[in-house]
Amino acid sequence: MENNLSPKKENILDPDELFNELEQKIIASGRPLSLERIRSAYEMAKEAHAGQKRKSGDPYVTHCVSAADITVDMGLDEDSIVAALLHDVIEDTNTTHDDIAKRFGTPVADIVEGVTKLTRVQYTSKEDEQMENLRKMLMAMAQDIRVILIKIADRTHNMRTMAYQSPEKQRSKSLETMEIYAPLAHRLGMQRSKWELEDLSLQYLDPHGYKEITDNLASKMPILNEFMGKIEAAIKQRLKEENINGAVTCRIKHVYSIYRKMYSQKLDMSGIFDLCAFRVIVDTIPDCYNVLGLIHDMYKPVPGRFKDYISTPKPNMYQSVHTTVIGTEGIPFEVQIRTWDMHHTAEYGIAAHWKYKLGSGSDSVREGDEDKFAWVRRLLESQQESDGQEFFRSLKIDMFADEVFVFSPKGDVINLPAGATPIDFAYSIHSHVGHHMVGASVNGRIVTYDYTLQNGDVVEIRTSKSAPGPSRDWLNIAKSGSARTKIKQWYKKERREENIIRGREMLEDELKHNNLSLDDVVDESIMAPILRHFSFAAVDDLYAAIGYGGLTANRAATRLKDEVARNSRPSKNALDKVNEAAERREQQAARRPVNAVHGILVEGLDNCLIKFSRCCTPVPGDDIIGFITRGQGVSIHRCDCTNYMKNSQNPENAGRWINVSWASQISESYLTSIYIHAKDRNGLVLDVATILNSLNAKVRNLAAHGYPDGTAITNVTLEVKNLTELKYIISRLATIGGVTDIVRNGE
Ligand code: MN
């Protein structure tokens, strides 16, 4: 491969000539494509890009023709070829979606618009998980698989002509290609595109490494060629003797695969023994195994190197059997054996289905929109049994219908439920961001809180320390359960004072309707049984619960009224006793099931195995939720546990989350864990230990760890009776000098 880094070019390309060549190629393919329509697209592109030039000096439209040429090589349908010719007109010229739709139909216009959207996605290199999200986002944005295929063709041509770009651009585009487009091509099974993209990228990402390998290969070529020729002839001869119809080819493996082996196995090139790969393509699957037998008869197989991807295809549909054997000169080499069908799929992946499966007469995928991608679905169904989950997810584009992918200002991809709003986004970053949000903008423009986020949006949240906090309306606007939970929690915790006042007023009002005043009920003899009944530690807790809506004022007032009535009578008559007994039964029925395990009541289940999750270690007083584990009973999480919030959205677990609550009488202690963030200093741990000791806290474990930035985190695992006790301990620990924050685990 020529590596011309000098951005000068002697022969400026003539676009008409280039297009004529493309036309010849289409004619030669014998496919029933409308040359008239394709030429018309070329003319539209040529006119739209008139005057624009590539960095190489070539007229811009040559790029469009070359990208279209690649889609022809991929075997894509007519609409794809037309769209490839037009793929840059929306982005770079005044042409609109409507203009294209009028001349070539809405499907073509939609594809071009899809490519344009992908082009606009800002990209920064990130860790693996983020890259995976970004690839998913591209797939989700594409909506039509052809958008991705054209984008791959576009990128392939841009990489082929990368020599004319600045070194910075060469590097960043190559990195993007290596991290996004080559993996996408791989996932779609397009080995040919993947190899080319990887080799072109490597050329710019590690020019020295690339050169070392190509030079080395060049010096070995005479020997390798002789070797390959001999083996090829021997295999052909044997097939003939055995009457098996098969094509035998040989190639040197692509540079990047050699490169990766050198680095992952820390070998120099002499240590990589199988540089050549032979391929035998036959008509039937039984022939594949017959040929395998012949090869193993001719040459000694290397143990452990036989792989049968025919019986177990790779997730991207790849099928072949591979074996490595040792040739007569002691040189090992790999042989891949497959049928023609498997070969097309291996080379062109998903695109092979246009090229080979649809047959003549139905070249475009027009018949019935619903059936458009029936083959994709069929394909995917056959994948489900193998380890195709990931492929399945990323390919079936409408699988993403319930998700939306957006960017944070830093370029992180955030995955939210479809229909999500800036409120969901803010809470997915951090609850503090949500609570302090005062405004949101999308792609630089201010939006209202109920704006529906679109794939690829860049979302920015403005926050302020003096923000009033979430409004109750947000509960209706937010789409994600985790955002709603966080908003409710805020109301419960942050607004405690307000809730107490509000709840007190609400109760007072309600009592008035029953001809009572607060003074009538605050007496210990009236209030104590009521608090016990609702499991509140103090009157304020009762008010607060009414204030945030956890308990209706009516329910509390009715109970209080009954209690007053009971107390005001010196003796109980028979009717009262009957009523009381009925009420007790009612109470017990309301508390079904009656059997609490470890202080936990599980809705609809009695005596089941209870396990407290380690990720968030809930204690009585925490809002909790149960998860039905496989074989280990119900595991209890806090509602604000990040694990729960992450997994509660997962449809796979739908139905496994179950309502649980704390029993009213709890005598046990519960193990939980907190992290004390502080400036590191001498005596810090001693201070922590002293306070814990003075509180008689039941400490099970205490571990401190200092960090280079001068901070320290002390992890305390302890047993508490309930949230009130834990909060008290935390409030006392917070008074220690240098402590900046105390968080519970799972937060
Ligand atoms: Mn382009």
Side-chain angles (χ1 to χ4, degrees):
M1 198 167 300
E2 205 184 16
N3 183 1
N4 177 11
L5 289 168
S6 114
K8 276 182 198 137
K9 196 160 185 268
E10 284 178 8
N11 305 319
I12 295 298
L13 290 172
D14 175 2
D16 289 343
E17 231 169 74
L18 209 59
F19 182 74
N20 286 341
E21 281 166 27
L22 175 62
E23 244 177 7
Q24 290 312 311
K25 186 186 263 186
I26 294 172
I27 293 167
S29 76
R31 296 170 64 201
L33 303 170
S34 163
L35 286 175
E36 209 180 317
R37 194 157 169 259
I38 293 171
R39 179 167 277 280
S40 167
Y42 165 64
E43 267 146 21
M44 187 181 194
K46 190 176 162 189
E47 203 178 296
H49 290 293
Q52 297 177 354
K53 282 206 167 20
R54 298 276 289 172
K55 279 266 154 55
S56 59
D58 294 323
Y60 193 90
V61 74
T62 57
H63 163 65
C64 312
V65 176
S66 300
D69 189 89
I70 296 169
T71 61
V72 170
D73 285 343
M74 287 176 174
L76 300 194
D77 67 340
E78 189 179 302
D79 274 357
S80 304
I81 299 166
V82 169
L85 284 163
L86 296 168
H87 81 269
D88 276 328
V89 297
I90 294 186
E91 179 70 7
D92 295 335
T93 78
N94 292 327
T95 314
T96 64
H97 177 275
D98 272 5
D99 298 336
I100 300 173
K102 260 180 230 145
R103 262 172 87 170
F104 299 101
T106 312
V108 171
D110 286 348
I111 295 174
V112 175
E113 196 170 69
V115 176
T116 308
K117 271 194 211 153
L118 294 200
T119 305
R120 287 180 186 158
V121 168
Q122 288 291 316
Y123 158 90
T124 41
S125 184
K126 295 277 175 185
E127 61 272 31
D128 287 353
E129 195 194 332
Q130 275 292 312
M131 291 325 298
E132 181 52 27
N133 265 340
L134 194 57
R135 289 191 287 263
K136 279 189 194 163
M137 176 198 244
L138 293 179
M139 296 290 277
M141 281 174 77
Q143 285 176 342
D144 184 326
I145 197 86
R146 290 174 292 182
V147 169
I148 295 283
L149 300 177
I150 291 169
K151 192 66 204 160
I152 289 173
D154 170 48
R155 177 50 57 102
T156 304
H157 183 250
N158 282 335
M159 287 306 298
R160 284 181 190 169
T161 52
M162 199 42 74
Y164 305 103
Q165 297 289 351
S166 67
E168 296 76 46
K169 190 133 188 204
Q170 288 175 345
R171 225 195 119 66
S172 71
K173 288 287 164 191
S174 297
L175 198 59
E176 185 182 36
T177 302
M178 199 64 115
E179 289 184 325
I180 304 278
Y181 291 101
L184 276 178
H186 172 70
R187 185 152 306 165
L188 297 172
M190 305 164 77
Q191 219 170 37
R192 215 171 244 238
S193 298
K194 177 198 171 219
W195 288 348
E196 181 173 3
L197 290 174
E198 283 177 344
D199 279 1
L200 287 167
S201 305
L202 182 65
Q203 215 173 315
Y204 298 104
L205 292 174
D206 185 356
H208 296 292
Y210 184 86
K211 194 166 180 304
E212 191 187 326
I213 293 172
T214 45
D215 286 355
N216 205 320
L217 281 176
S219 71
K220 284 193 173 124
M221 263 345 264
I223 306 169
L224 287 173
N225 276 333
E226 198 201 322
F227 171 73
M228 292 193 295
K230 242 196 262 172
I231 303 278
E232 199 180 305
I235 297 176
K236 273 183 182 158
Q237 178 59 30
R238 183 70 187 259
L239 289 182
K240 209 171 155 192
E241 285 166 24
E242 307 282 342
N243 264 328
I244 293 175
N245 195 15
V248 183
T249 57
C250 181
R251 62 175 177 90
I252 302 290
K253 290 188 171 175
H254 80 296
V255 177
Y256 184 64
S257 78
I258 298 172
Y259 181 88
R260 228 182 20 214
K261 240 180 220 163
M262 279 171 64
Y263 285 86
S264 69
Q265 296 168 19
K266 297 202 168 55
L267 298 169
D268 65 11
M269 231 169 101
S270 57
I272 298 173
F273 51 84
D274 49 347
L275 294 170
C276 336
F278 291 83
R279 193 173 283 154
V280 185
I281 308 173
V282 293
D283 295 331
T284 65
I285 291 178
D287 274 353
C288 293
Y289 294 102
N290 288 338
V291 171
L292 179 72
L294 295 182
I295 302 283
H296 282 183
D297 183 46
M298 292 168 75
Y299 308 100
K300 189 177 172 324
V302 177
R305 296 268 307 187
F306 168 67
K307 285 175 204 122
D308 184 355
Y309 298 118
I310 290 181
S311 60
T312 318
K314 286 192 188 180
N316 65 4
M317 312 179 284
Y318 179 86
Q319 285 187 293
S320 282
V321 286
H322 292 189
T323 186
T324 301
V325 295
I326 296 170
T328 38
E329 285 88 350
I331 304 175
F333 59 93
E334 188 180 73
V335 187
Q336 303 172 349
I337 308 160
R338 52 173 78 145
T339 66
W340 284 104
D341 245 18
M342 295 171 190
H343 180 62
H344 296 320
T345 302
E347 297 274 289
Y348 299 101
I350 249 192
H353 291 262
W354 276 284
K355 205 175 169 104
Y356 300 101
K357 297 281 161 74
L358 289 167
S360 56
S362 60
D363 187 79
S364 65
V365 216
R366 240 175 258 145
E367 335 124 7
D369 271 0
E370 270 129 319
D371 268 350
K372 218 179 192 174
F373 292 109
W375 57 268
V376 175
R377 242 163 270 133
R378 272 201 306 280
L379 198 85
L380 294 169
E381 275 152 18
S382 70
Q383 284 294 315
Q384 269 175 301
E385 275 152 35
S386 68
D387 184 26
Q389 267 301 317
E390 193 46 47
F391 177 67
F392 179 68
R393 232 174 262 148
S394 42
L395 185 68
K396 193 170 174 190
I397 284 175
D398 52 356
M399 278 284 290
F400 290 114
D402 52 356
E403 283 174 277
V404 61
F405 300 86
V406 298
F407 283 113
S408 75
K410 276 192 233 151
D412 286 337
V413 177
I414 311 287
N415 188 348
L416 296 166
T421 63
I423 296 174
D424 297 292
F425 176 86
Y427 278 100
S428 77
I429 301 293
H430 198 278
S431 41
H432 289 286
V433 177
H435 296 334
H436 295 100
M437 173 161 76
V438 290
S441 49
V442 167
N443 305 327
R445 262 202 300 234
I446 291 177
V447 295
T448 53
Y449 287 167
D450 60 353
Y451 169 88
T452 305
L453 296 175
Q454 307 292 326
N455 278 312
D457 278 348
V458 180
V459 189
E460 199 166 350
I461 300 297
R462 270 174 301 122
T463 58
S464 158
K465 273 198 175 145
S466 54
S471 124
R472 283 185 193 272
D473 300 342
W474 292 13
L475 286 171
N476 301 321
I477 299 170
K479 287 288 175 301
S480 59
S482 63
R484 279 203 294 265
T485 306
K486 285 173 179 170
I487 295 167
K488 279 187 205 151
Q489 298 244 317
W490 184 88
Y491 270 99
K492 199 165 150 188
K493 283 181 190 155
E494 303 291 317
R495 286 287 168 94
R496 186 172 155 85
E497 293 309 310
E498 202 178 278
N499 285 331
I500 290 173
I501 295 166
R502 212 175 114 138
R504 199 182 134 108
E505 281 168 2
M506 287 163 78
L507 183 63
E508 201 165 12
D509 267 3
E510 196 60 42
L511 287 169
K512 233 180 255 168
H513 294 309
N514 294 296
N515 296 318
L516 286 169
S517 74
L518 268 181
D519 290 341
D520 297 330
V521 300
V522 288
D523 186 83
E524 181 73 25
S525 63
I526 309 285
M527 197 50 100
I530 303 301
L531 294 180
R532 248 200 320 279
H533 171 74
F534 289 118
S535 350
F536 292 125
V539 190
D540 277 356
D541 294 336
L542 174 78
Y543 294 153
I546 296 172
Y548 78 79
L551 172 69
T552 64
N554 179 284
R555 225 179 124 206
T558 308
R559 286 255 166 232
L560 286 164
K561 189 182 122 190
D562 291 350
E563 198 63 36
V564 169
R566 224 189 324 273
N567 268 270
S568 62
R569 255 164 269 168
S571 70
K572 290 171 182 167
N573 62 32
L575 189 62
D576 278 334
K577 278 181 190 157
V578 172
N579 282 342
E580 244 177 76
E583 194 183 342
R584 257 200 307 278
R585 277 197 301 277
E586 201 181 283
Q587 274 181 27
Q588 283 185 350
R591 259 188 264 157
R592 236 175 346 129
V594 283
N595 291 316
V597 177
H598 298 311
I600 294 286
L601 299 167
V602 180
E603 184 183 83
L605 292 175
D606 243 12
N607 279 324
C608 62
L609 202 59
I610 294 290
K611 202 179 74 165
F612 290 93
S613 80
R614 283 185 196 197
C615 54
C616 60
T617 55
V619 301
D622 281 324
D623 282 339
I624 47 174
I625 185 95
F627 183 76
I628 304 169
T629 64
R630 299 197 199 280
Q632 296 182 67
V634 174
S635 89
I636 308 297
H637 290 260
R638 274 159 43 202
C639 288
D640 60 355
C641 164
T642 46
N643 263 341
Y644 161 59
M645 291 200 275
K646 244 190 275 163
N647 289 316
S648 62
Q649 305 293 328
N650 185 345
E652 271 169 40
N653 293 335
R656 295 176 69 191
W657 293 103
I658 184 169
N659 283 328
V660 296
S661 56
W662 296 101
S664 50
Q665 308 285 341
I666 298 177
S667 49
E668 296 176 43
S669 287
Y670 293 82
L671 205 59
T672 193
S673 181
I674 55 174
Y675 293 87
I676 306 166
H677 294 253
K679 283 193 194 112
D680 205 1
R681 62 172 170 83
N682 281 337
L684 177 69
V685 175
L686 184 65
D687 287 351
V688 170
T690 307
I691 294 237
L692 289 169
N693 189 42
S694 75
L695 295 169
N696 274 329
K698 287 183 227 132
V699 176
R700 286 283 199 81
N701 191 29
L702 192 154
H705 187 20
Y707 294 91
D709 65 351
T711 63
I713 297 179
T714 310
N715 175 221
V716 182
T717 305
L718 72 172
E719 273 181 25
V720 296
K721 281 210 154 1
N722 53 42
L723 190 58
T724 315
E725 182 184 347
L726 178 63
K727 278 188 170 170
Y728 182 63
I729 293 172
I730 289 177
S731 72
R732 291 295 308 275
L733 290 169
T735 62
I736 297 173
V739 170
T740 50
D741 198 10
I742 301 178
V743 293
R744 295 177 61 184
N745 63 343
E747 274 175 4

